Amino acid sequence: MGQNADIRRRGSSSSDAVQLLPHGVASYARTYADGYISTWHDHPRHQLVYAVAGLMAAEAGGTSWAVPAGSGLIVPAGMLHEIRMAGEVQLQSLYIDPAEPGAEALTECRAVLIEPLLAGLIAALCEMNNPWPLPPRAHHLSRLILIELGAAAKSPLALPYPADARLRRVCDTLMESPGSNQTIDHWAVLAGMSRRSFTRRFQQEAGLSFGSWRDRLRCQIALRAEARGARMEQVARQLGYASRQSLLAMMRRVV
């Protein structure tokens, strides 16, 4: 009992300590400064990383994820991931024991939309600060959270990274110059493929068309810049758009 109390005290400043708690769903809340990097690591528990405010840029499962305020990233136990903060980020995390009923829905890495009901449940559990023995309210909040997480809609901001080295070369080049308006024929030549082979292979490996992939990349970059207070007119020009309105129209279409 004394050990658990000590872990809970340290848990207010240590996510590692929180994961040692006996709770099936343990909570952790913290605010991070712009530019903070949680370098590559994994957890013995499933994790929900929820951005209450600000924006996180994450790498996990071979995919880049933009996680703006109102969204969360589910990271399965044992999956390596890295998270970078864009702007000040108010974070609420849940660490879920894989043996918990309902945790089987968290074995896929994905970004999800946190609707108001789920946001309220998470906030209420975080405010309780991991009490032990577990009171009925905390138990029921945990159960409801897992039910709502399992039903949460996916966020449209995943950026899968293809396995084919030729397609990776194209993606890397576009990441370095996201405002490039070169045609698909240009990118097919860079990949050493015909236009038809390039578009078909890209769709197969990334799960979306090259044009959609480029839009998501630009959307992620714009969201990070916006979170850091950049002028969107300047961001639009850097990303190859004639105006701020054109950039925002693309972002609305993606999101």
Side-chain angles (χ1 to χ4, degrees), residues 1 17 21 36-38 42 44 75 102-103 107 110-111 115 165 170 177 184 222 229 238 241 245:
M1 185 72 173
L21 292 169
Y36 178 87
I37 302 174
S38 180
D42 62 2
V75 184
T107 56
R110 64 188 187 276
E115 299 292 350
V170 170
S177 303
I184 285 188
Q238 292 171 346
Y241 292 90
Q245 288 72 24

Side-chain angles (χ1 to χ4, degrees), residues 133-199:
L134 197 66
R137 181 169 181 255
H139 171 77
H140 291 304
L141 285 171
S142 298
R143 299 281 68 74
L144 284 170
I145 285 170
L146 291 178
I147 291 170
E148 290 300 311
L149 266 183
K154 289 186 178 181
S155 165
L157 290 172
L159 195 67
Y161 201 54
D164 190 311
R166 298 169 296 176
L167 300 181
R168 283 176 177 260
R169 182 163 63 245
V170 170
C171 292
D172 289 344
T173 302
L174 192 56
M175 286 177 176
E176 293 173 1
S177 303
S180 173
N181 285 315
Q182 296 285 359
T183 65
I184 285 188
D185 290 320
H186 168 85
W187 299 114
V189 169
L190 179 60
M193 306 166 74
S194 70
R195 177 191 175 105
R196 182 178 179 183
S197 295
F198 173 75
T199 55

Side-chain angles (χ1 to χ4, degrees), residues 30 71 161 187 191 248:
R30 180 177 168 183
S71 298
Y161 201 54
W187 299 114
L248 294 178

Side-chain angles (χ1 to χ4, degrees), residues 86-115:
E88 183 178 88
V89 176
Q90 183 182 345
L91 183 72
Q92 291 176 348
S93 273
L94 301 179
Y95 296 96
I96 299 112
D97 187 332
E100 278 292 291
E104 62 275 3
L106 308 180
T107 56
E108 175 197 356
C109 184
R110 64 188 187 276
V112 295
L113 301 176
I114 306 296
E115 299 292 350

Side-chain angles (χ1 to χ4, degrees), residues 7-148:
I7 290 173
R8 288 199 302 280
R9 284 193 297 270
R10 289 184 287 121
S12 63
S13 60
S14 170
S15 60
D16 290 336
V18 165
Q19 295 180 72
L20 298 176
L21 292 169
H23 303 61
V25 180
S27 64
Y28 176 74
R30 180 177 168 183
T31 298
Y32 292 89
D34 176 32
Y36 178 87
I37 302 174
S38 180
T39 54
W40 289 98
H41 63 288
D42 62 2
H43 303 291
R45 292 175 173 232
H46 302 319
Q47 182 185 19
L48 170 71
V49 196
Y50 165 41
V52 180
L55 180 133
M56 298 178 292
E59 301 281 338
T63 301
S64 298
W65 308 86
V67 188
S71 298
L73 181 66
I74 295 172
V75 184
M79 177 173 284
L80 285 169
H81 57 285
E82 180 182 74
I83 300 176
R84 298 169 180 262
M85 309 302 172
E88 183 178 88
V89 176
Q90 183 182 345
L91 183 72
Q92 291 176 348
S93 273
L94 301 179
Y95 296 96
I96 299 112
D97 187 332
E100 278 292 291
E104 62 275 3
L106 308 180
T107 56
E108 175 197 356
C109 184
R110 64 188 187 276
V112 295
L113 301 176
I114 306 296
E115 299 292 350
L117 171 59
L118 181 54
L121 294 170
I122 294 170
L125 190 66
C126 287
E127 287 171 4
M128 295 188 74
N129 195 29
N130 303 311
W132 193 263
L134 197 66
R137 181 169 181 255
H139 171 77
H140 291 304
L141 285 171
S142 298
R143 299 281 68 74
L144 284 170
I145 285 170
L146 291 178
I147 291 170
E148 290 300 311

